[in-house]
């Protein structure tokens, strides 16, 4: 099936406070779908709903045609991997130990990793260019290196769907590009379905096949980056005055912020 995730009318929240209301979308095999929107719009809540951390008040999610909420958690963990904003690993585990944690859903209780599990972990690290520091403590690695290990851990689960919650928030620009290059490659070669929550509109425009803009817990618009990143939509959703230009390298839309000014200071434009 081409549709990896099919979400229909998702509604959920915290206590009696609804956050998502009637959210519907499809995520296709081999696609990177970017989820964008202002702070508090419900982007991270969507990730929690898709991983059953939050219980749906109404609606349904199908994972390759099967009701996601009815799946055993172990089956879900084998199919869907999550990459958070910043993975906390409290102990000084080696990078290889961290990646092997991705094999947990495939192991029985008290079962140790086999040679096959080790080979899968090595392959995941090789594909993310992380094998070179497999014996180093995760705490010794740079932000970009650490995030490649976390992605390798997710790949070691052998999922069909990757969910990412602002995976480059704490990385510098070079490491952000490294991570998105890797995700683009995984979509193309492994045909993974990738849903990526991102606050960086320009990175999302460069790498995502489609964008879903969320506002006030509802889907405001879905389409290609050219269709979504318009001055009209950004003004309405982000309450920001912007110019939209095309990337000289790829032609993707790029957002240039027009800052508000008081006084007679010089006008400066910033790229979001």
């Amino acid at each position: 099936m081409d549709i990896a995730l099919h979400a229909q009318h998702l509604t959920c929240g915290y206590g009696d406070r609804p956050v998502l209301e009637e959210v519907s979308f499809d995520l296709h095999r081999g696609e990177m779908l970017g989820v964008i929107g202002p702070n508090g719009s419900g982007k991270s809540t969507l990730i929690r709903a898709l991983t059953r951390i939050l219980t749906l008040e109404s609606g349904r999610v199908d994972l390759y045609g099967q009701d996601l909420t009815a799946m055993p958690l172990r089956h879900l963990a084998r199919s869907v991997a999550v990459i958070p904003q910043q993975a906390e690993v409290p102990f000084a585990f080696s990078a290889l130990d961290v990646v092997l944690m991705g094999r947990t859903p495939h192991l029985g209780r008290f079962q140790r990793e086999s040679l096959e599990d080790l080979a899968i972990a090595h392959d995941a690290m090789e594909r993310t260019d992380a094998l070179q520091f497999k014996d180093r403590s995760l705490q010794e690695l740079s932000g970009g290196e650490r995030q490649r290990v976390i992605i390798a851990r997710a790949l070691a689960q052998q999922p069909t769907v990757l969910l990412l919650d602002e995976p480059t928030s704490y990385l510098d620009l070079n490491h952000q590009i490294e991570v998105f290059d890797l995700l683009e490659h995984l979509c193309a070669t492994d045909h993974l379905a990738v849903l990526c929550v991102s606050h960086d509109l320009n990175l999302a425009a460069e790498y995502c096949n489609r964008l879903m803009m969320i506002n006030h817990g509802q889907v405001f618009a879905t389409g290609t980056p050219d269709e979504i990143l318009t001055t009209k939509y950004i003004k309405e959703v982000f309450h920001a005055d912007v110019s939209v230009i095309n990337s000289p390298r790829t032609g993707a839309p790029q957002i240039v912020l027009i800052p508000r000014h008081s006084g007679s200071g010089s006008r400066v434009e910033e790229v979001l």
Side-chain angles (χ1 to χ4, degrees):
M1 295 177 63
D2 184 54
I3 298 177
L5 276 178
H6 177 59
Q8 296 176 286
H9 310 299
L10 305 187
T11 297
C12 65
Y14 305 93
D16 59 356
R17 180 173 66 90
V19 177
L20 296 179
E21 297 185 80
E22 295 290 320
V23 170
S24 298
F25 68 93
D26 288 332
L27 173 65
H28 297 86
R29 183 173 179 261
E31 173 188 44
M32 194 186 311
L33 174 65
V35 181
I36 61 174
N39 290 339
S41 59
K43 303 187 299 298
S44 295
T45 299
L46 177 61
I47 298 286
R48 296 186 183 102
L50 294 175
T51 52
R52 288 168 51 181
I53 294 174
L54 277 180
T55 301
L56 295 177
E57 295 175 17
S58 61
R60 176 181 170 123
V61 182
D62 287 334
L63 175 64
Y64 282 102
Q66 298 183 34
D67 184 358
L68 183 146
T69 59
M71 287 182 177
L73 286 176
R74 181 176 291 270
H75 185 187
L76 179 62
R78 291 174 180 174
S79 302
V80 178
V82 180
I83 299 172
Q85 292 183 25
Q86 189 174 31
E88 297 294 337
V89 180
F91 302 106
F93 289 107
S94 71
L96 177 59
D97 287 337
V98 172
V99 175
L100 281 169
M101 293 175 188
R103 298 303 300 158
T104 301
H106 299 271
L107 302 177
R109 183 173 295 183
F110 307 121
Q111 181 182 355
R112 294 185 61 83
E113 298 89 353
S114 66
L115 291 177
E116 181 183 3
D117 295 314
L118 186 62
I120 291 170
H122 273 226
D123 178 66
M125 298 187 80
E126 189 168 22
R127 284 191 288 155
T128 57
D129 196 26
L131 192 58
Q132 58 190 302
F133 35 79
K134 65 183 180 68
D135 296 320
R136 292 172 57 189
S137 167
L138 198 70
Q139 297 172 347
E140 298 174 5
L141 303 181
S142 71
E145 291 169 342
R146 188 181 303 115
Q147 198 67 335
R148 291 210 300 271
V149 171
I150 299 304
I151 295 173
R153 181 179 67 181
L155 293 182
Q157 290 178 231
Q158 298 182 307
T160 56
V161 174
L162 280 179
L163 306 177
L164 303 103
D165 189 2
E166 299 191 10
T168 61
S169 291
Y170 300 96
L171 304 183
D172 61 32
L173 183 59
N174 184 57
H175 289 138
Q176 290 177 28
I177 293 172
E178 283 183 5
V179 168
F180 272 95
D181 279 345
L182 173 60
L183 294 173
E184 184 179 56
H185 177 73
L186 292 172
C187 286
T189 59
D190 291 32
H191 307 294
L192 290 180
V194 176
L195 183 146
C196 182
V197 170
S198 179
H199 71 280
D200 191 315
L201 303 184
N202 289 333
L203 275 176
E206 285 284 355
Y207 287 95
C208 294
N209 306 102
R210 290 187 302 133
L211 298 177
M212 180 169 67
M213 184 178 281
I214 294 181
N215 194 29
H216 300 303
Q218 298 179 317
V219 176
F220 179 84
T222 303
T224 66
D226 284 319
E227 293 169 334
I228 300 304
L229 296 181
T230 66
T231 56
K232 178 182 176 183
Y233 282 179
I234 291 171
K235 175 70 173 179
E236 187 168 347
V237 173
F238 290 90
H239 307 291
D241 293 315
V242 301
S243 294
V244 180
I245 62 175
N246 293 110
S247 165
R249 185 177 69 87
T250 65
Q254 297 290 281
I255 308 305
V256 181
L257 177 65
I258 303 174
R260 300 181 181 92
H261 293 280
S262 58
S264 56
S266 61
R267 183 186 180 100
V268 179
E269 292 188 345
E270 295 180 16
V271 177
L272 284 179

